Amino acid sequence: MVGKKSGKALLREEGLERTDNNMDLTTWPQVNMINQKNYYTEYLKRDDQILPLRLQQEERRNRMTANAKDRDRALAQANPNELPPPEVDMDLDDDVGMDDMGGSSGQDVSGTKIIVIHPGSQNLRIGLASDAIPKTVPMVVARKWKVSESEDFGTEPSPKRLKLDNGSTVDPEKIFGQDFASQFSTMCADLKVHMRLNKRRVLPNSKELVVNYNRRTPPETISEHNDPLRIDWTELPRNPKEAPDFVTGKEALRIPDYSNPRYKLFWPLQQGWYNERDYENKTRLYEDIAVIIDEAIKNQLNLSRKKDWAQFSCVFVIPDLYERQYVIQILEMLIRDFGFSRVCFIQESLAATFGAGYTSACVVDIGAQKTSICCVEEGMCVENSRINLKFGGADVTELFTKMMLFDYFPYADIDLRRRYDFLLAEELKSKFCTMNEAEISVQLYDFHLRASGQDTRKYAFKTYDEVLLAPQAYFQPSIFEHSEKLKGRRKLIAGSQDLYDGSPNDPVSSAQSAIVQLANPHALTNGLETSISNYTLGNGQPASTPIRQLLNPFQRFNESDNTPSAVGSPAPEGDGTPVPATDGNPNATLQTLGSSVRDDVLPVIALDTAILTSVVHGARNDERKTRDFLGGIMVIGGGAQIRGFYSFLEERLKETKPVYAKDIMIGTPPRDLDAQGVVWKGGSVFGKLRGTNDSWIGRLEYDRLGARLLAYKYPPKWDVYHSLINFNFFFFNAAAIKLPAQAVDKRAEMDPPCGKDAMSRDNPESPTSEENLSDIERHRAYKLWEDYMASQPSRQDREPVVHQDYITRQRYSNALPPPPMPPKLLDIPMDALKLCTSPGFASNLARQEPLNIEADAFLGMPIDLVGMPGIFDGDESSIQAPLNPPPIHPRDRPLLQSLKSLGQPKTETAGVSFLRRTQYTADENNRLRAESNASRGLVKPTTKKRKPVDTSKDEPINILRSTIKGFDIAYPDDAYRGPDTSENIRGATATRSELDAWTHPKNPNNAQLKLVDSYPILPDLSAITDSNGYMVIKFAGNPTSSIDAHDERMDVGMLHPVDPGPEVLAQHQAKVAAHEADPRTPAPGPPAYNYEFFIPSDQVSARNIKRKFDIDDPQKDNPKLYTNNAKNARHESFRFNHLRIYETGLQSSNAENPYHEVALAMHDPDAKNKIAVMGTEDGITAKDRLQKAAYYYPIVSKTQLKPRRNQNLAQLGLAGGTVQDEGDKVDAVDLVIREPNQEEIAKRAAHRAEIDL
């Protein structure tokens, strides 16, 4: 039987057997399949395989070698007796600048080779890191154009006004539409209600007063040659062809709108991002940014030669929520175009904390067109707390202009697109806007309109509540104009997208996504693709593009897994548990939402709501962090430089979150830093800090890796999951990474099924052991775990929070050898000098030497009155001390010292401010005069060197700051915190002891005394007189015969001046002329008048006169109060009888400065409950019209009267003037009281306006 043949034998017989000829099917190298259960690679898992890290290690190794050679050389050249050179601590000198050519160069600690650039939507701040303050340049470029920006939009001004069909304008109340009018009216009504609740006075017709005045007040024309503050406009060549192609900075804003040739202003950055609306191509947009920075470096930093820029490094400040394309383009510009040796980036909020010296804070940066909020903790920005709002100070300027136009602003043609009108509106906002309700009243202001080729026009206008409602719109931003802010968005520059799935990968935050959702609740997509064509933005404008769902950033790690295992264990075959839609982070939906609609929905919401949202997302349910962030809110930026803004914001936050009312505190940058430059200052500090070497990007690294360096060099996380780095390591699996032990313990605690064994922690041979991970992998693993833990609830009950401080080590060396022997000191006695300068020595000389003075028996000096001028005419000034003695010559001042002061050490008190109390100065002098009683046998007594006295405190500007500081302490809400201007001076910084002294006042002489009560000092506006002051009259003797009790008739006495006569007036004019010719002579003052004194006939008349002047007495107009009701009288009146004629003894006048000396009257309405009324039993209660205060009254003159005694002298022919005969003397005066007329009321109102601001 034949056996069965195999299939192989059959194929051989048929010739179909496959034979191997040792030839491959292809020449392409074949890679064997990887064992999926256990594979391992070392690619990019060591630091020496990454170029930036390898260059740092090589630089450190070269530096260590150079230091060792220098030390060996110093040891070889040193003498045996000298001390060895100190060892260099590499830990303290680790951060040294890296040279791209391989050399070693030290970091510029002084900052003279570091340029710090902080661009903004309106201003560019630039300067060297060694500068104290930056140079501020407008972020604008003017280019030759067909028309200017004011002509480019036709006849449509800004703010936009409504017009009728025939082209005529409508009334100002309707010029901005019904929506704006209703919102403005609502805000006005709410402000009145709030002011009434705070017991503030609100006039019902305030708006009518403002409108009526602004409507009828014409401008005043001032010729250009009479205007001392005329503007120097930018001059252009007469030949238009010779005009420059572009002009930048302040010169661009000073180009006339109708210049020849025309120039158009371009602002490359608007609302914190690229201004794609005004550009046609992105090349010109990038070029304008480069041109503005280039010109600023050349003109402001005096670095005209571009080849010198290679020696400089650059610190560039970017927004918190930056755009990746923006950062990449800026890096390309700084390295390629400008040629800087190194470049590093820092976020705005982080730079603000560096500049202010804060470790943790919630930074609120209110700029010109955007407001950014971010929480900073221990030198890192909390990513989920970043918020970017698209409104700022420019919106307040536009709104303030609209509100003034609504109230009939006299300059109705204002157009913010015109350059001079834009600068004028900014000036009006900075001068007049406030957030203090105490300043809200009808105010009269003026401004000067200066336009090129036109005469200056001076406008006067009134305002009421517009000055507060405009900045208050920060908390009601719907009234801002938002229609143009999204126009042209993404027209030229597309958003950054992931290379693998095409999803947007610009940084987002959960706080920003929450703000977008609050601004547009319809933007929630729930993971589906939904069109938002019917949605509305925060300003009511429709959105145009649909929302596309973003892929989960952790989705690529779970694509091959069917189970949501945290360690990525292999999935079983077949169907399994479905993968959840999110990664366990409850904010994943918000992050997807924010990234999708970021370019479609305008983030606009109330400022206080945005701050609280940022704090909530930054604290992550941590109570301690929440209180720390709320207690460290730092407000910076030019948009917040409004009087009273900080206190208003703090009050608003406390009303919103009353639980944290004790913790909420709004702070400003310390050390008198300008709030607009604190971000730039932080960038300069960051550039000079040790430890920033890892952030610098060198030219060699950039040439090889390009923008991929940002994943290693940028301090914040450069969105690792969407990085531009095209490495295989990007697709690492979470199962192949070994987390640190602490993270594994926490993760095992949160997810028990995934225990420690799954992490291969105890197996050193495992390919996932910790030794096989590089620093980059370890950093990414930490970030993965931080994101996972951030999504979990707080575990304060299980893990105590430990606050750690960074402690650094400082080493100081003293290379000087000790002295071989101590010096020998000699004690020289100085007894002779003490003997000659003692008080007893001078007393002995006074007793031994007789006085060379001629005296009679009564020790009196002979005086001849005949030689005294004017003594017999009643002028006793020649024998009296002058009222204004001449100043003492400095050489004569030592003659006024007492005998006890001779020989005493001289104390300098010139550096003591005049505001210090004298007892403090005396204590300091006593301390300086203290001497040591130590033994002087062998050691020479050493006198402690006194600290130099700071004489700058006595400079006028510092004296003024010290004065303003007292008012700032008393009224902190009204304190001015902005930069010094010609109208506002910032007060000196108050110390803690000064604030405590105001809060808890103590008597400096007796600490046991307690403050009983305090009174504010206020003017009595209702007591202003026609002469704007009062006269103080003092009688030499009692005019009446009443001795035991006070005579009430003296309270209403009447003085009638008598004509002094032509001779006395001529003498007074001669004295005035002499004083004007020689100011050193004392001023003569007013002429010396004689006065007739009249008093009422009885006490009842005096009381009734007081009642006639009492406005609170309801019976003051009763004619029965008049006591002179005789039938032969012409009318009812008060009778005053002549008492005596008085002459002027001494007098002084303050008519030119009536407030040089004032009288104070303490008034307490609580102590005066009833007003006594004559003729009633119980009295009549009346509401007091004055509040509790110490009211001051100006004193225009003080006069001492004495009875006239020159009648006998006049009869002898020795007195000047005429004597009234007894027949010409007035015996009685009848007084009738009436209301003041219009002229008198106008005088009082004019004087009241001088102090009632």
Side-chain angles (χ1 to χ4, degrees):
M1 180 178 178
V2 180
K4 183 179 180 180
K5 294 184 179 180
S6 64
K8 190 173 183 180
L10 294 175
L11 292 175
R12 187 184 308 113
E13 293 176 358
E14 295 177 0
L16 298 176
E17 180 184 9
R18 181 178 179 180
T19 60
D20 189 6
N21 55 3
N22 295 327
M23 295 182 64
D24 297 333
L25 298 178
T26 177
T27 59
W28 189 264
Q30 299 180 7
V31 180
N32 297 328
M33 297 184 64
I34 300 176
N35 185 2
Q36 296 294 330
K37 294 184 178 180
N38 186 9
Y39 65 90
Y40 173 69
T41 180
E42 292 184 354
Y43 182 60
L44 290 180
K45 288 192 175 181
R46 294 199 306 267
D47 292 345
D48 57 357
Q49 296 178 347
I50 300 175
L51 178 63
L53 303 180
R54 184 170 66 250
L55 292 178
Q56 293 178 12
Q57 293 177 358
E58 293 176 358
E59 182 65 23
R60 178 179 175 84
R61 190 181 306 109
N62 295 336
R63 190 166 62 252
M64 293 176 61
T65 304
N67 292 334
K69 291 181 179 180
D70 294 341
R71 178 176 175 79
D72 294 342
R73 188 182 300 108
L75 289 174
Q77 298 177 358
N79 296 329
N81 297 331
E82 295 181 355
L83 294 176
E87 297 183 2
V88 179
D89 192 352
M90 295 304 299
D91 294 336
L92 295 180
D93 195 24
D94 184 44
D95 301 320
V96 179
M98 181 185 64
D99 191 358
D100 295 334
M101 302 304 297
S104 177
S105 60
Q107 186 176 0
D108 183 18
V109 180
S110 61
T112 56
K113 295 295 183 179
I114 300 176
I115 298 176
V116 183
I117 302 175
H118 178 209
S121 302
Q122 185 166 328
N123 291 313
L124 168 71
R125 290 177 174 84
I126 189 172
L128 299 176
S130 58
D131 296 339
I133 56 177
K135 308 294 190 304
T136 302
V137 180
M139 192 68 182
V140 64
V141 57
R143 291 189 176 273
K144 283 185 179 180
W145 213 255
K146 298 179 181 179
V147 292
S148 63
E149 64 275 7
S150 60
E151 301 171 328
D152 196 8
F153 293 89
T155 58
E156 190 67 34
S158 177
K160 190 176 182 180
R161 285 99 155 163
L162 297 180
K163 294 183 179 180
L164 299 177
D165 296 337
N166 56 5
S168 60
T169 58
V170 298
D171 295 336
E173 293 87 351
K174 304 177 182 178
I175 197 172
F176 299 113
Q178 185 63 30
D179 187 16
F180 175 81
S182 61
Q183 291 190 60
F184 186 28
S185 302
T186 303
M187 295 177 66
C188 295
D190 295 341
L191 177 62
K192 289 182 179 180
V193 173
H194 193 269
M195 292 179 65
R196 289 192 178 99
L197 291 177
N198 292 335
K199 306 300 182 183
R200 300 191 184 277
R201 184 180 181 185
V202 179
L203 297 178
N205 60 339
S206 300
K207 282 289 185 181
E208 290 76 5
L209 294 176
V210 172
V211 170
N212 293 334
Y213 184 87
N214 294 340
R215 182 184 299 175
R216 68 172 186 271
T217 304
E220 176 186 355
T221 303
I222 302 175
S223 57
E224 185 177 1
H225 63 274
N226 290 332
D227 186 7
L229 300 177
R230 57 181 178 271
I231 298 176
D232 295 332
W233 301 95
T234 302
E235 296 183 1
L236 299 175
R238 295 184 178 179
N239 188 1
K241 297 181 179 180
E242 298 178 359
D245 294 336
F246 61 87
V247 181
T248 63
K250 297 180 181 179
E251 291 78 9
L253 296 178
R254 294 302 184 187
I255 298 178
D257 291 81
Y258 306 102
S259 61
N260 186 20
R262 292 287 196 275
Y263 280 84
K264 182 180 178 181
L265 298 183
F266 289 91
W267 304 81
L269 297 179
Q270 293 284 275
Q271 281 81 39
W273 52 39
Y274 284 127
N275 181 17
E276 305 175 57
R277 178 185 59 190
D278 299 337
Y279 286 87
E280 298 298 332
N281 58 79
K282 61 181 179 181
T283 304
R284 178 56 63 88
L285 175 61
Y286 296 153
E287 182 183 353
D288 283 354
I289 297 177
V291 165
I292 295 173
I293 299 177
D294 184 276
E295 292 297 319
I297 295 176
K298 293 179 180 179
N299 300 328
Q300 302 298 329
L301 304 184
N302 298 325
L303 299 176
S304 57
R305 297 190 306 176
K306 205 166 185 178
K307 62 181 181 180
D308 297 337
W309 295 3
Q311 305 174 7
F312 289 82
S313 305
C314 179
V315 178
F316 199 90
V317 182
I318 62 175
D320 299 328
L321 275 175
Y322 55 87
E323 294 184 350
R324 299 170 60 86
Q325 294 289 353
Y326 172 73
V327 178
I328 294 173
Q329 179 62 31
I330 291 298
L331 179 61
E332 173 77 13
M333 178 186 66
L334 297 178
I335 295 293
R336 301 291 188 198
D337 300 341
F338 293 168
F340 291 129
S341 61
R342 299 181 306 169
V343 176
C344 73
F345 295 96
I346 183 173
Q347 290 171 293
E348 290 177 341
S349 298
L350 183 60
T353 56
F354 273 98
Y358 292 167
T359 57
S360 298
C362 179
V363 182
V364 181
D365 187 359
I366 305 178
Q369 298 179 5
K370 74 173 181 65
T371 299
S372 61
I373 306 170
C374 180
C375 295
V376 180
E377 182 182 12
E378 301 298 338
M380 292 295 292
C381 292
V382 182
E383 297 177 357
N384 284 332
S385 67
R386 295 176 295 178
I387 291 178
N388 194 311
L389 305 177
K390 299 306 179 183
F391 59 81
D395 296 274
V396 176
T397 303
E398 182 181 3
L399 180 60
F400 183 51
T401 305
K402 294 173 67 175
M403 289 182 175
M404 290 191 299
L405 291 173
F406 190 87
D407 291 339
Y408 289 83
F409 188 57
Y411 181 37
D413 297 333
I414 186 172
D415 185 3
L416 297 184
R417 290 194 176 96
R418 288 197 293 257
R419 297 155 196 171
Y420 57 87
D421 284 348
F422 169 75
L423 297 176
L424 173 64
E426 289 286 341
E427 180 184 0
L428 295 179
K429 181 196 70 173
S430 61
K431 282 186 177 181
F432 305 137
C433 282
T434 180
M435 300 198 75
N436 295 326
E437 288 188 357
E439 301 180 15
I440 301 304
S441 62
V442 179
Q443 301 286 349
L444 176 62
Y445 300 114
D446 57 44
F447 67 90
H448 294 78
L449 177 62
R450 298 177 176 91
S452 177
Q454 303 178 16
D455 291 336
T456 302
R457 284 169 287 175
K458 180 180 179 182
Y459 287 87
F461 69 102
K462 284 187 177 182
T463 62
Y464 180 52
D465 53 3
E466 306 90 346
V467 295
L468 185 140
L469 295 179
Q472 192 176 349
Y474 281 134
F475 307 94
Q476 190 176 346
S478 59
I479 197 174
F480 288 143
E481 181 65 32
H482 304 296
S483 58
E484 300 290 333
K485 292 182 179 179
L486 288 177
K487 186 177 181 180
R489 180 66 172 160
R490 299 302 182 192
K491 182 180 70 172
L492 304 177
I493 304 172
S496 178
Q497 295 181 354
D498 191 88
L499 295 178
Y500 307 103
D501 55 18
S503 61
N505 62 349
D506 281 327
V508 295
S509 68
S510 59
Q512 182 74 5
S513 302
I515 292 299
V516 173
Q517 184 178 353
L518 290 175
N520 188 359
H522 301 286
L524 187 60
T525 62
N526 292 326
L528 299 177
E529 201 167 356
T530 306
S531 175
I532 60 170
S533 58
N534 56 344
Y535 295 164
T536 57
L537 305 178
N539 59 346
Q541 298 296 327
S544 57
T545 58
I547 298 177
R548 185 178 59 82
Q549 179 192 4
L550 260 183
L551 296 178
N552 189 353
F554 287 93
Q555 184 176 356
R556 62 168 58 94
F557 302 128
N558 297 325
E559 286 178 352
S560 61
D561 301 337
N562 292 333
T563 59
S565 175
V567 295
S569 54
E573 298 181 358
D575 298 337
T577 306
V579 180
T582 61
D583 59 340
N585 189 351
N587 298 326
T589 303
L590 292 178
Q591 292 175 355
T592 304
L593 170 67
S595 179
S596 302
V597 300
R598 182 176 180 181
D599 300 331
D600 305 322
V601 178
L602 195 67
V604 173
I605 204 170
L607 181 60
D608 53 344
T609 305
I611 294 175
L612 295 176
T613 304
S614 176
V615 171
V616 168
H617 287 262
R620 292 180 262 183
N621 298 329
D622 192 333
E623 187 71 16
R624 182 185 63 84
K625 291 183 180 180
T626 302
R627 296 185 183 275
D628 290 344
F629 289 149
L630 291 178
I633 300 176
M634 182 174 61
V635 181
I636 59 176
Q641 302 307 306
I642 300 174
R643 297 189 304 274
F645 178 80
Y646 301 105
S647 58
F648 187 91
L649 176 59
E650 183 173 345
E651 180 183 356
R652 188 71 176 249
L653 291 175
K654 289 180 179 179
E655 292 177 356
T656 307
K657 287 290 184 180
V659 180
Y660 299 100
K662 296 182 180 179
D663 301 315
I664 295 176
M665 184 173 64
I666 307 297
T668 55
R671 301 186 299 275
D672 296 335
L673 289 177
D674 185 8
Q676 303 180 56
V678 65
V679 175
W680 180 92
K681 190 65 176 178
S684 66
V685 173
F686 179 77
K688 296 183 292 184
L689 279 178
R690 297 182 180 272
T692 59
N693 190 34
D694 296 341
S695 304
W696 290 105
I697 299 176
R699 192 179 306 169
L700 175 62
E701 301 169 286
Y702 185 77
D703 291 340
R704 294 186 180 181
L705 298 180
R708 293 178 294 177
L709 275 171
L710 294 173
Y712 301 99
K713 291 291 187 177
Y714 188 42
K717 182 176 65 176
W718 179 256
D719 202 2
V720 178
Y721 312 117
H722 298 93
S723 177
L724 296 177
I725 306 176
N726 189 9
F727 293 154
N728 292 334
F729 176 70
F730 180 82
F731 297 100
F732 72 91
N733 195 305
I737 295 181
K738 173 185 176 298
L739 299 177
Q742 297 177 358
V744 172
D745 294 340
K746 294 181 181 179
R747 189 163 187 173
E749 182 180 359
M750 299 300 299
D751 194 0
C754 304
K756 301 179 182 178
D757 296 336
M759 306 303 296
S760 303
R761 192 178 74 175
D762 301 329
N763 185 10
E765 300 298 329
S766 174
T768 59
S769 61
E770 186 173 358
E771 289 76 5
N772 297 324
L773 295 177
S774 66
D775 292 341
I776 296 300
E777 290 182 82
R778 200 172 293 112
H779 173 73
R780 293 181 177 179
Y782 273 112
K783 287 299 181 182
L784 273 174
W785 180 244
E786 287 179 1
D787 294 340
Y788 177 75
M789 291 298 295
S791 64
Q792 303 302 321
S794 177
R795 306 181 62 87
Q796 294 182 352
D797 52 344
R798 298 187 182 182
E799 300 177 5
V801 179
V802 180
H803 182 72
Q804 298 179 356
D805 294 328
Y806 175 72
I807 302 176
T808 183
R809 180 178 46 158
Q810 300 291 340
R811 301 177 61 183
Y812 303 92
S813 61
N814 185 8
L816 296 177
M821 61 182 67
K824 184 179 181 180
L825 305 178
L826 301 178
D827 186 11
I828 301 176
M830 301 296 294
D831 297 339
L833 181 60
K834 292 184 178 180
L835 177 62
C836 297
T837 57
S838 61
F841 181 77
S843 301
N844 293 333
L845 290 179
R847 286 194 299 267
Q848 294 175 4
E849 295 293 334
L851 297 177
N852 188 14
I853 297 178
E854 296 182 0
D856 55 8
F858 299 98
L859 296 179
M861 300 177 63
I863 298 177
D864 188 4
L865 298 179
V866 178
M868 302 296 177
I871 188 64
F872 297 105
D873 297 337
D875 185 6
E876 300 178 357
S877 59
S878 58
I879 61 176
Q880 294 178 352
L883 294 178
N884 300 316
I888 301 175
H889 196 275
R891 296 182 180 179
D892 296 336
R893 290 180 180 176
L895 300 178
L896 300 179
Q897 296 182 1
S898 62
L899 296 177
K900 294 182 179 181
S901 63
L902 297 177
Q904 300 297 330
K906 184 178 180 181
T907 58
E908 291 288 343
T909 59
V912 180
S913 175
F914 77 102
L915 295 176
R916 287 185 62 180
R917 295 192 61 87
T918 56
Q919 55 265 29
Y920 302 149
T921 308
D923 294 342
E924 183 179 0
N925 296 338
N926 295 334
R927 184 174 64 255
L928 294 175
R929 287 196 295 267
E931 297 181 357
S932 175
N933 296 326
S935 174
R936 302 182 181 181
L938 298 177
V939 182
K940 179 179 179 180
T942 58
T943 304
K944 187 176 181 180
K945 197 169 184 180
R946 197 154 39 95
K947 293 182 179 180
V949 179
D950 187 9
T951 57
S952 62
K953 294 182 179 180
D954 288 338
E955 295 181 359
I957 184 62
N958 292 331
I959 293 176
L960 180 59
R961 292 185 188 276
S962 301
T963 306
I964 298 175
K965 176 178 67 175
F967 292 94
D968 294 347
I969 295 174
Y971 303 97
D973 295 341
D974 300 337
Y976 177 73
R977 304 298 184 187
D980 294 341
T981 60
S982 58
E983 299 181 1
N984 295 317
I985 300 295
R986 185 177 65 255
T989 304
T991 61
R992 176 60 60 184
S993 58
E994 292 173 344
L995 296 175
D996 293 340
W998 174 259
T999 308
H1000 307 286
K1002 294 182 180 180
N1003 191 293
N1005 297 325
N1006 188 355
Q1008 297 181 355
L1009 295 180
K1010 295 183 179 180
L1011 178 66
V1012 177
D1013 202 353
S1014 62
Y1015 293 78
I1017 301 177
L1018 301 175
D1020 191 354
L1021 301 180
S1022 61
I1024 300 297
T1025 62
D1026 300 348
S1027 60
N1028 193 24
Y1030 292 83
M1031 298 176 60
V1032 177
I1033 305 296
K1034 181 180 179 182
F1035 293 92
N1038 190 1
T1040 62
S1041 59
S1042 178
I1043 300 177
D1044 300 333
H1046 174 65
D1047 193 349
E1048 294 185 9
R1049 297 179 299 170
M1050 292 291 298
D1051 298 338
V1052 294
M1054 184 187 304
L1055 286 172
H1056 177 256
V1058 180
D1059 187 7
E1063 296 180 1
V1064 177
L1065 294 177
Q1067 294 177 2
H1068 181 265
Q1069 292 296 334
K1071 294 180 181 180
V1072 172
H1075 174 70
E1076 294 176 352
D1078 187 7
R1080 293 177 296 178
T1081 60
Y1089 286 91
N1090 294 335
Y1091 298 90
E1092 292 179 323
F1093 187 51
F1094 300 86
I1095 60 175
S1097 57
D1098 53 5
Q1099 304 286 348
V1100 177
S1101 299
R1103 298 191 187 99
N1104 292 349
I1105 293 174
K1106 293 180 181 180
R1107 294 186 60 186
K1108 292 289 290 183
F1109 285 95
D1110 190 358
I1111 61 176
D1112 294 328
D1113 191 348
Q1115 301 294 332
K1116 67 183 185 66
D1117 297 329
N1118 190 353
K1120 296 182 179 180
L1121 293 177
Y1122 289 106
T1123 56
N1124 187 18
N1125 298 324
K1127 296 182 180 181
N1128 55 354
R1130 296 181 180 178
H1131 43 257
E1132 299 176 342
S1133 61
F1134 294 104
R1135 175 62 57 89
F1136 282 70
N1137 297 326
H1138 183 273
L1139 183 62
R1140 187 172 298 173
I1141 298 179
Y1142 286 88
E1143 63 180 2
T1144 302
L1146 298 175
Q1147 65 177 351
S1148 61
S1149 175
N1150 296 324
E1152 297 179 357
N1153 187 10
Y1155 292 94
H1156 179 73
E1157 187 173 3
V1158 296
L1160 285 178
M1162 317 297 288
H1163 179 74
D1164 189 358
D1166 296 336
K1168 181 183 178 183
N1169 297 327
K1170 291 186 177 182
I1171 300 176
V1173 178
M1174 298 299 298
T1176 61
E1177 297 179 358
D1178 299 332
I1180 300 176
T1181 61
K1183 183 177 180 182
D1184 203 311
R1185 59 185 176 84
L1186 298 177
Q1187 66 179 17
K1188 177 183 178 180
Y1191 293 93
Y1192 63 88
Y1193 304 88
I1195 304 300
V1196 296
S1197 66
K1198 295 190 300 183
T1199 305
Q1200 180 183 6
L1201 300 182
K1202 56 184 179 179
R1204 190 175 65 173
R1205 57 172 182 166
N1206 61 349
Q1207 288 186 354
N1208 296 331
L1209 297 178
Q1211 293 176 1
L1212 295 176
L1214 299 178
T1218 60
V1219 180
Q1220 252 185 349
D1221 297 333
E1222 293 295 333
D1224 298 335
K1225 184 182 67 174
V1226 178
D1227 295 328
V1229 173
D1230 292 338
L1231 175 66
V1232 179
I1233 300 173
R1234 62 168 175 81
E1235 294 293 333
N1237 53 29
Q1238 295 297 329
E1239 182 179 359
E1240 295 168 345
I1241 294 175
K1243 289 182 179 180
R1244 299 177 186 179
H1247 295 315
R1248 186 184 299 109
E1250 297 177 358
I1251 58 176
D1252 186 14
L1253 300 180

